[in-house]
Amino acid sequence: MLTEKQKEALRALPAVSTILQLPEVKKLIESSPLNLVSDIISKTIEIEREKILQSDTPTVLSLSTILEKISHQYKRLTTPHLRSVVNGTGVILHTNLGRAKLSNESILAAQLAATDYTNLEYTLSTGKRGSRYDHVEDLLVQLTGAEAALVVNNNASAVILILKEMAQGKEVIVSRGQLVEIGGSFRVSEIMAQSGAHLMEVGTTNKTHRYDYERAITDQTGLLMKVHTSNFKIIGFTKEVCLKTLVEIGKEHQIPVYEDLGSGVLYDFKKHGIGNEPTVQETVKAGADLVSFSGDKLLGGPQAGIIVGKKKWIDRLKKNQLTRSLRVDKMTLAALEATLRHYLLEEAQDKIPTLKMILMKEKIIEEKSEKLYSMLKPVIAEQFEMKIIDGFSEIGGGSMPDVQLLTKLISIKPKHIPVHRFEEALRITSPHIIGRISDEQFFLDVRTIEPKEFDLIVEKIQWIAKN
Ligand SMILES: *Cc1c(COP(=O)(O)O)cnc(C)c1O
């Protein structure tokens, strides 16, 4: 039985045909598909009807409220959902904000691959069918010193492919200290189960010795795997078996050795005193049969999973049926090729945004902070306390977690509204500006903000100050 209030609310709901006759809606239909508009109208009314039936004391909606809901839904569907944001967090490879920004050359290459027909799988010299993997294999071989290379959709899929081809139905020996979880969705142990390989954990969380591996080897062992634990650090009383030793063990027992590097570093940050990441080149040189890493972490390219190693194994991976399902897109390949060429020409540190942000000189950061401060000062003098303070940027993306890069933060403290309201106002409407809150202050790290974005920040904060 319906309550009186429910009956009243139902009676107040307009018919689709009534709404279609409203002047605002008629105007909308002139410039957009009738089907879309009437579908949104009927769905909105249906949702409201359901709400009325669920509540004994529903609100009686006015026509204008319903129109607002319709208009809101229309806007939601017809404006881009993926938006640009200004990254003021200081986290360079922010996974939630899309990780690496591409170089101009990579963007142009991706655009060309999207716009034109290309020789993606076509050999120009013979006019015959070619392979999409040829476009980057030579570059990867040249850069890493490996015999061969293959690129798939992302590093997680590279891991699955390798485990499946090399160790399906066999045992894979991994140190317990390396059974990492990356971003909540990628667990080495689960990937292992999915690929049909059996995980053989050895050692303890903090210590694994050479003899732990040697004792675990049986005629069922298919692979020795090392996972580069770049996204967490066990500090203190620890022991890991280094790749060189693992390679020795592998040779002795004729078992291939694979290292999942996570973040693939082709540029040696160590020489600037930043972090302690092994480069891909060093890992290949140490004798790993296969190495895999991400395209969009420290490499600074598009999302991809890059596999390099011995030709014998790469050839097998190329033939695996799964490789077809993990196939990398043409725009990605184009962007990756351009990114890799920056390394080849030794211009990566000047062209690739990720590298530029990591290596940004303190003086440049200081100048940027002073510039943004001076632009903000006149527009927000009254309502905010603002200062420049020292802070740290993070590399992010699970890469080099122990590295803290000295930076400058613009600290803003609103005097009349709570800081979280200020943060919300900056974030929710366009231009979307993302920063961080701590100690009742809002912080913008200038390292990850481009000078061309300063105007957006100034206009937005000016707008907030006025509203
Ligand atoms: C990030 C990471 C992955 C997953 O790489 P994606 O390219 O994000 O799929 C796998 N292994 C390790 C060790 C990682 O750090």
Side-chain angles (χ1 to χ4, degrees):
M1 273 295 282
L2 297 176
T3 65
E4 282 309 312
K5 198 77 188 163
Q6 280 174 317
K7 285 181 192 161
E8 188 191 344
L10 285 176
R11 272 197 304 273
L13 277 184
V16 175
S17 55
T18 312
I19 295 182
L20 281 170
Q21 291 311 313
L22 296 173
E24 304 91 308
V25 178
K26 276 189 161 163
K27 189 139 179 286
L28 181 64
I29 292 168
E30 277 171 23
S31 60
S32 43
L34 173 62
N35 274 340
L36 174 66
V37 178
S38 56
D39 199 45
I40 291 171
I41 295 171
S42 54
K43 279 188 181 140
T44 308
I45 294 174
E46 196 42 49
I47 288 167
E48 293 312 319
R49 188 189 310 281
E50 275 304 309
K51 277 197 213 152
I52 293 168
L53 295 176
Q54 300 296 324
S55 160
D56 287 343
T57 53
T59 12
V60 178
L61 296 178
S62 68
L63 197 56
S64 65
T65 311
I66 290 183
L67 259 186
E68 250 169 58
K69 286 176 191 277
I70 290 165
S71 147
H72 176 77
Q73 181 62 0
Y74 178 84
K75 280 205 192 101
R76 227 173 60 88
L77 284 171
T78 53
T79 47
H81 199 270
L82 190 68
R83 314 262 180 94
S84 297
V85 307
V86 174
N87 177 8
T89 65
V91 181
I92 298 166
L93 294 168
H94 199 303
T95 299
N96 300 147
L97 304 184
R99 287 197 188 157
K101 292 216 245 187
L102 298 180
S103 74
N104 288 333
E105 288 78 359
S106 299
I107 294 163
L108 285 176
Q111 193 181 3
L112 180 137
T115 316
D116 295 349
Y117 288 116
T118 59
N119 61 335
L120 182 67
E121 292 188 349
Y122 184 80
T123 310
L124 291 168
S125 57
T126 61
K128 296 220 167 76
R129 195 200 152 121
S131 160
R132 69 176 59 217
Y133 301 107
D134 288 349
H135 306 289
V136 289
E137 184 164 13
D138 287 350
L139 277 171
L140 283 165
V141 163
Q142 175 68 31
L143 288 168
T144 64
E147 292 174 9
L150 172 64
V151 179
V152 290
N153 206 29
N154 54 20
N155 189 30
S157 53
V159 178
I160 295 191
L161 175 65
I162 290 170
L163 291 174
K164 207 171 173 72
E165 175 59 42
M166 308 290 288
Q168 189 166 25
K170 293 191 192 149
E171 288 170 0
V172 179
I173 304 180
V174 188
S175 158
R176 195 163 270 125
Q178 295 165 6
L179 291 173
V180 290
E181 178 170 340
I182 302 138
S185 56
F186 183 83
R187 277 212 190 108
V188 175
S189 51
E190 274 164 28
I191 297 262
M192 193 81 74
Q194 283 217 354
S195 59
H198 305 298
L199 174 65
M200 188 58 107
E201 298 174 41
V202 295
T204 57
T205 323
N206 62 337
K207 280 197 167 196
T208 305
H209 302 273
R210 179 180 182 132
Y211 58 74
D212 289 322
Y213 286 92
E214 287 177 323
R215 280 179 201 161
I217 291 176
T218 67
D219 55 2
Q220 288 304 302
T221 309
L223 192 68
L224 302 183
M225 180 179 182
K226 185 165 163 40
V227 182
H228 182 63
T229 50
S230 56
N231 71 331
F232 78 134
K233 273 270 178 298
I234 302 172
I235 313 272
F237 195 57
T238 66
K239 168 147 177 60
E240 257 197 357
V241 173
C242 71
L243 181 63
K244 269 214 167 102
T245 308
L246 218 53
V247 168
E248 273 172 35
I249 303 171
K251 280 220 176 90
E252 233 165 78
H253 296 83
Q254 297 197 335
I255 298 166
V257 175
Y258 159 46
E259 175 152 15
D260 171 16
L261 267 182
S263 213
V265 180
L266 290 179
Y267 181 87
D268 196 3
F269 292 101
K270 296 196 287 290
K271 73 180 181 204
H272 298 277
I274 298 173
N276 199 19
E277 287 285 295
T279 60
V280 179
Q281 300 89 303
E282 287 163 356
T283 310
V284 168
K285 206 166 169 193
D289 291 273
L290 288 169
V291 182
S292 75
F293 51 96
S294 284
D296 58 350
K297 289 186 183 170
L298 286 168
L299 192 83
Q303 178 191 303
I306 301 169
I307 308 170
V308 300
K310 304 266 158 70
K311 185 165 185 313
K312 159 168 116 169
W313 306 118
I314 299 279
D315 282 347
R316 270 179 53 178
L317 294 174
K318 282 180 181 166
K319 289 195 198 100
N320 190 301
Q321 279 303 307
L322 192 58
T323 301
R324 174 62 182 78
S325 330
L326 306 176
R327 182 164 100 171
V328 63
D329 168 67
K330 63 182 179 183
M331 289 182 281
T332 302
L333 269 176
L336 181 63
E337 183 189 354
T339 304
L340 293 172
R341 191 153 288 114
H342 291 315
Y343 286 96
L344 188 81
L345 300 175
E346 297 184 8
E347 58 183 23
Q349 69 279 17
D350 305 317
K351 298 271 188 168
I352 300 177
T354 302
L355 273 65
K356 286 205 295 194
M357 283 187 266
I358 294 173
L359 300 171
M360 197 175 282
K361 297 256 188 300
E362 274 172 45
K363 188 165 161 2
I364 301 286
I365 293 179
E366 209 171 300
E367 283 167 12
K368 279 171 82 178
S369 66
E370 278 157 14
K371 172 83 184 156
L372 180 56
Y373 180 91
S374 67
M375 286 169 75
L376 282 170
K377 194 76 195 163
V379 304
I380 66 164
E382 291 302 302
Q383 299 99 320
F384 302 87
E385 271 172 40
M386 180 171 68
K387 53 186 192 264
I388 301 176
I389 64 164
D390 289 332
F392 294 104
S393 317
E394 276 174 57
I395 291 178
S399 311
M400 304 206 260
D402 46 348
V403 169
Q404 291 197 307
L405 302 166
L406 203 60
T407 193
K408 295 284 178 196
L409 308 171
I410 306 279
S411 145
I412 302 173
K413 192 170 181 170
K415 290 183 199 156
H416 310 306
I417 54 167
V419 68
H420 74 270
R421 290 279 309 282
F422 178 63
E423 183 272 341
E424 223 173 58
L426 280 168
R427 167 168 47 88
I428 292 178
T429 58
S430 170
H432 309 277
I433 296 159
I434 319 287
R436 46 179 207 229
I437 293 180
S438 163
D439 293 337
E440 296 300 307
Q441 293 167 65
F442 179 79
F443 294 110
L444 287 173
D445 185 334
V446 294
R447 183 189 294 270
T448 48
I449 303 174
E450 291 188 46
K452 67 174 190 210
E453 294 169 324
F454 287 178
D455 281 332
L456 295 178
I457 297 172
V458 174
E459 278 163 31
K460 184 72 180 278
I461 292 183
Q462 190 170 24
W463 177 80
I464 293 171
K466 280 193 193 137
N467 284 270

